Amino acid sequence: MINVAVLGYGTIGAGVVRVLQTNVESIARNAGQTLVVKRILDLREFPGDPNADLVVHDYNIIKEDEDIQIVVECMGGLNPAYPFVKTALEQGRSVATSNKELVAKYGAELIAIARENNCNFLFEASVGGGIPLIRPLTTCLTADVIEEITGILNGTTNYMLTKMSEEGLPFDDVLKEAQEKGYAELHPEADVEGYDACRKIAILTSLVSGYQVDFEDIHTEGITGITAEDFLYARAMRSAIKLLAKSWKKGGKYYAMVAPMLIEHDHPLYSVRDVFNAVFVHGNMVDDIMFYGKGAGELPTASAVVSDVIESARAMGTNRRIFWSPEKLVLQSLRKCEGRFFVRMEKTVSREAIEEAFGPVDYVVAEGLDEHAFATRTMTEGDFHRAAAGLGHVIRMIRIYQKY
């Protein structure tokens, strides 16, 4: 029997307990031993809850309980999650977490501490919720050089963009509806400004490169500027607008960004709708593969967390190697990166001036809109921004996705 402590009894923590207690027999078969929830840490009381007698309010009770072998962290944030997790690993207890903020900031350090103490720090649920992604990248695909990762990594924004596209609703109305359904927080900046997706692509890039990628270094744009008019043009171009988190390796150097992009109808990410997530991966040997599923929610995320608990039980007393050095990876400037750009521009600018600034372009027409809209040919980000600044009158620019 292996005793487990769960830190945080909110949505995900409660889901973890539910999975462990509901699927106890199948989990025992897969883990090789029965897994039992012994302690639950939370500041609140839970009168009437069937696990109320397991709840403690002081982490020291868990710290000093020598029978606890695996710790699950579902508190979120950095404090006190970071010191609690660090302490558990230093005690030789494996930790499973869904906390993307913790992993993005301290992943390399916590992996190293786990290695030193013959235990494991596992974080399958930190990216993609219930989608198996971290373990395939760190085991199944280790024979490949991963040259591109592009993901729809935030279910809230994908739901909002789907509603805007299919129903023609404005951003504010869709955000309100998402909040009413529980998809978006009262303060939704982490989702709609792209910060959530940014932390996730930082984790994935750290894993495939083997070095620390600081999320603060990743160029990040959200969806707050996207309008119903943008979707009219997207439809005319047989494309969809998605918030994509993307990193790629070119010439031995890494690039990364988070931004709304137009993606054409024949790409597998085009049809990913509503709250679903998907991650497209290109390896130099395996070629193109995609992971798809529910990227959030109580039970999908809890299922991924418990898969790490089972892995920890199987590897009890040993360390499963994950290469993630604390040495910082310097991301390359996007200014020299080549791409294509969709541009909406005021009608006061002539086509001659547009073509003089951007070179040959492909014009796009949307019914009822009196403006210039066009897709550039391939050019660098730096050249695009210089041309746009010189000409002015740009209403919107959206990058056009292309493989790097």
Side-chain angles (χ1 to χ4, degrees):
M1 184 177 73
I2 294 176
N3 290 307
V4 178
V6 177
L7 312 185
Y9 200 45
T11 300
I12 305 305
V16 168
V17 173
R18 181 177 170 187
V19 171
L20 285 168
Q21 294 178 341
T22 301
N23 293 347
V24 60
E25 292 183 4
S26 63
I27 289 171
R29 282 198 306 271
N30 288 317
Q33 297 189 62
T34 301
L35 302 181
V36 176
V37 178
K38 186 177 183 185
R39 304 281 189 187
I40 299 170
L41 178 70
D42 204 289
L43 294 176
R44 299 165 294 174
E45 299 286 353
F46 296 89
D49 188 282
N51 296 297
D53 60 333
L54 304 181
V55 175
V56 298
H57 309 302
D58 183 357
Y59 179 71
N60 286 321
I61 296 173
I62 293 171
K63 177 182 175 181
E64 295 166 7
D65 188 337
E66 296 181 357
D67 291 336
I68 291 173
Q69 295 148 288
I70 297 174
V71 172
V72 176
E73 187 276 308
C74 300
M75 306 174 75
L78 297 178
N79 190 28
Y82 167 64
F84 288 177
V85 167
K86 184 177 180 181
T87 297
L89 294 171
E90 289 172 340
Q91 291 180 302
R93 296 169 170 174
S94 290
V95 174
T97 183
S98 59
N99 188 340
K100 58 188 169 290
E101 190 175 357
L102 175 71
V103 178
K105 185 73 173 177
Y106 295 111
E109 177 189 347
L110 296 172
I111 288 169
I113 294 172
R115 187 178 304 128
E116 291 168 2
N117 291 279
N118 284 323
C119 58
N120 290 283
F121 176 64
L122 302 178
F123 43 92
E124 181 64 61
S126 65
V127 180
I131 304 173
L133 181 60
I134 302 294
R135 196 167 291 116
L137 284 177
T138 56
T139 55
C140 308
L141 297 176
T142 51
D144 275 65
V145 174
I146 303 300
E147 296 178 328
E148 178 189 339
I149 298 176
T150 299
I152 297 171
L153 294 175
N154 183 272
T156 299
T157 51
N158 201 48
Y159 170 82
M160 293 175 63
L161 291 172
T162 300
K163 296 288 284 188
M164 292 176 72
S165 173
E166 296 180 357
E167 300 182 21
L169 299 174
F171 176 88
D172 289 342
D173 289 356
V174 172
L175 174 58
K176 182 179 179 182
E177 181 178 329
Q179 289 171 324
E180 290 172 349
K181 290 189 173 184
Y183 296 150
E185 302 288 342
L186 178 62
H187 302 287
E189 291 78 11
D191 294 325
V192 300
E193 297 293 355
Y195 306 143
D196 174 80
C198 176
R199 285 183 169 86
K200 293 173 180 176
I201 197 66
I203 293 169
L204 297 180
T205 309
S206 296
L207 289 172
V208 300
S209 71
Y211 298 95
Q212 173 66 27
V213 175
D214 292 339
F215 63 86
E216 298 94 339
D217 296 339
I218 297 176
H219 175 84
T220 302
E221 301 173 18
I223 65 167
T224 54
I226 301 297
T227 65
E229 290 77 13
D230 296 322
F231 287 101
L232 296 178
Y233 287 113
R235 198 168 295 115
M237 298 169 70
R238 299 185 68 193
S239 297
I241 300 173
K242 302 291 185 182
L243 182 68
L244 298 183
K246 180 177 180 65
S247 71
W248 65 100
K249 184 180 184 182
K250 188 173 184 180
K253 298 179 179 180
Y254 283 89
Y255 302 78
M257 71 161 65
V258 176
M261 296 187 194
L262 281 157
I263 191 159
E264 295 182 344
H265 69 282
D266 57 353
H267 194 281
L269 290 174
Y270 169 89
S271 58
V272 179
R273 301 174 60 259
D274 294 328
V275 296
F276 281 83
N277 282 195
V279 181
F280 174 85
V281 177
H282 178 82
N284 68 335
M285 297 296 160
V286 75
D287 204 3
D288 296 341
I289 55 178
M290 192 171 88
F291 302 86
Y292 171 84
K294 287 195 173 181
E298 175 187 356
L299 294 181
T301 304
S303 174
V305 174
V306 175
S307 76
D308 280 344
V309 176
I310 294 170
E311 183 74 11
S312 298
R314 288 172 171 172
M316 191 67 65
T318 62
N319 175 258
R320 176 175 162 268
R321 182 169 176 78
I322 299 175
F323 181 65
W324 180 345
S325 168
E327 181 181 345
K328 181 175 177 177
L329 178 70
V330 177
L331 296 173
Q332 300 303 301
S333 169
L334 297 179
R335 302 290 289 185
K336 295 182 180 180
C337 174
E338 292 187 334
R340 297 178 65 219
F341 306 85
F342 169 72
V343 185
R344 292 172 54 198
M345 188 164 286
E346 294 175 5
K347 200 62 175 287
T348 53
V349 181
S350 68
R351 288 195 170 193
E352 291 76 15
I354 289 171
E355 292 165 21
E356 183 178 347
F358 293 99
V361 299
D362 299 316
Y363 290 98
V364 183
V365 176
E367 186 177 351
L369 297 178
D370 186 25
E371 57 190 39
H372 292 303
F374 57 90
T376 71
R377 305 293 171 87
T378 300
M379 61 195 307
T380 67
E381 287 256 353
D383 286 344
F384 169 80
H385 288 295
R386 279 189 290 271
L391 198 58
H393 304 281
V394 173
I395 300 170
R396 177 94 61 252
M397 180 276 281
I398 303 175
R399 293 171 183 82
I400 299 173
Y401 166 83
Q402 64 181 34
K403 290 179 67 174
Y404 289 94

